[in-house]
C-alpha cells in the first residue's frame, strides 16, 4: 500500500499515534476503575497472586529477606523472583503503602506499550505491510485478557516485551545473516 501523506505524516503513522493514545487512555481508565476507598483512604491493589509477591517484595526491601512473614520461615510463595525484586524497588522509594501497587500497574502498561511497538516492527518485518502491522498493534493493545493480566500486577507484560524483543532480534539475524550484540 502506498503511504498516504498528510502534512508530513503518513496516514499509517497518524493511525499508530491514535491507537497508542487510545491504548493509554484505556489503561488509565482501567487503573482508575481499579482504585477503591476504605474509610476515606484510596488504595490501589493488585491481583491476589501479585499481592503475595508484593508482600515478599516489601519484606525483601525492608531487609527481612524473601519471606512471607518477617522473622518467619523461608518459604517460597512467589512465582517469579525477578518480578519480586522489581517490585521491591518500588518499596525502596517510600511510596505510601496504599499507593505502592499503582507504579507496578503503570509499569505493566508501559511494558505492554513497548511490547506492541516491538510487535509492530515484527509484523512489518514478516509482512512488509503497514496495515498488517497496525492491525497487529490494535488487536494486541486492546486484547482484554492481556491488558487485564498486565495491569493487575502480573509479570505478563514484561515477559511479552522480552519475547517480542527477542523475536525481533532473531528475525533481524535471519534477515542479515549476522549476529549483532
Amino acid at each position: 500500500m502506498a503511504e498516504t501523506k498528510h502534512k508530513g505524516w503518513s496516514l499509517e503513522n497518524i493511525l499508530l499515534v491514535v491507537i497508542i493514545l487510545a491504548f493509554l487512555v484505556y489503561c488509565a481508565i482501567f487503573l482508575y476503575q481499579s482504585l477503591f476507598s476504605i474509610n476515606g483512604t484510596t488504595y490501589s491493589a493488585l491481583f491476589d497472586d501479585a499481592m503475595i509477591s508484593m508482600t515478599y517484595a516489601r519484606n525483601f526491601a525492608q531487609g527481612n529477606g524473601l519471606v512471607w512473614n518477617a522473622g518467619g520461615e523461608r518459604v517460597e510463595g512467589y512465582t517469579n523472583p525477578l518480578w519480586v525484586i522489581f517490585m521491591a524497588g518500588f518499596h525502596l522509594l517510600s511510596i505510601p503503602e496504599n499507593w505502592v501497587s499503582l507504579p507496578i500497574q503503570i509499569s505493566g502498561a508501559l511494558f505492554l506499550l513497548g511490547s506492541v511497538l516491538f510487535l509492530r516492527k515484527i509484523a512489518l518485518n514478516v509482512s512488509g505491510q503497514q496495515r498488517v502491522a497496525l492491525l497487529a498493534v490494535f488487536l494486541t493493545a486492546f486484547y482484554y485478557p492481556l491488558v487485564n493480566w498486565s495491569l493487575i500486577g502480573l509479570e505478563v507484560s514484561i515477559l511479552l516485551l522480552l519475547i517480542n524483543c527477542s523475536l525481533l532480534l532473531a528475525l533481524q539475524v535471519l534477515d542479515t545473516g549476522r549476529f549483532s550484540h
Side-chain angles (χ1 to χ4, degrees):
M1 171 183 150
E3 292 188 10
T4 307
K5 296 290 181 182
H6 183 268
K7 296 183 183 179
W9 282 58
S10 69
L11 177 60
E12 289 78 9
N13 285 339
I14 292 169
L15 289 173
L16 178 63
V17 169
V18 168
I19 291 169
I20 290 171
L21 291 175
F23 168 74
L24 292 173
V25 168
Y26 176 51
C27 289
I29 291 169
F30 186 104
L31 295 179
Y32 177 75
Q33 289 183 338
S34 72
L35 299 175
F36 60 95
S37 185
I38 299 175
N39 296 329
T41 302
T42 303
Y43 291 85
S44 65
L46 307 174
F47 180 66
D48 63 349
D49 190 49
M51 286 305 290
I52 291 168
S53 295
M54 282 289 275
T55 300
Y56 279 88
R58 182 190 64 229
N59 287 331
F60 183 71
Q62 292 173 349
N64 298 313
L66 287 171
V67 294
W68 175 254
N69 292 310
E73 187 178 342
R74 296 190 184 280
V75 177
E76 184 178 333
Y78 48 87
T79 55
N80 189 323
L82 292 177
W83 191 243
V84 171
I85 301 300
F86 175 76
M87 291 174 154
F90 292 101
H91 286 283
L92 293 173
L93 298 175
S94 301
I95 299 169
E97 196 71 26
N98 59 313
W99 287 110
V100 73
S101 296
L102 189 59
I104 301 299
Q105 293 175 293
I106 293 169
S107 299
L110 295 176
F111 292 142
L112 193 51
L113 175 61
S115 296
V116 298
L117 294 176
F118 273 103
L119 177 67
R120 177 180 174 273
K121 290 181 179 188
I122 292 166
L124 282 172
N125 182 293
V126 172
S127 73
Q129 296 183 23
Q130 289 281 351
R131 287 182 179 175
V132 171
L134 284 173
L135 184 61
V137 166
F138 178 79
L139 292 175
T140 304
F142 294 98
Y143 182 59
Y144 181 77
L146 180 60
V147 174
N148 179 60
W149 292 113
S150 297
L151 298 184
I152 62 173
L154 297 177
E155 63 274 9
V156 171
S157 58
I158 194 163
L159 293 175
L160 181 61
L161 176 61
L162 293 172
I163 289 168
N164 284 349
C165 181
S166 299
L167 180 56
L168 181 62
L169 290 173
L171 289 171
Q172 289 173 347
V173 167
L174 290 173
D175 286 346
T176 63
R178 293 188 327 261
F179 178 77
S180 172
H181 295 279

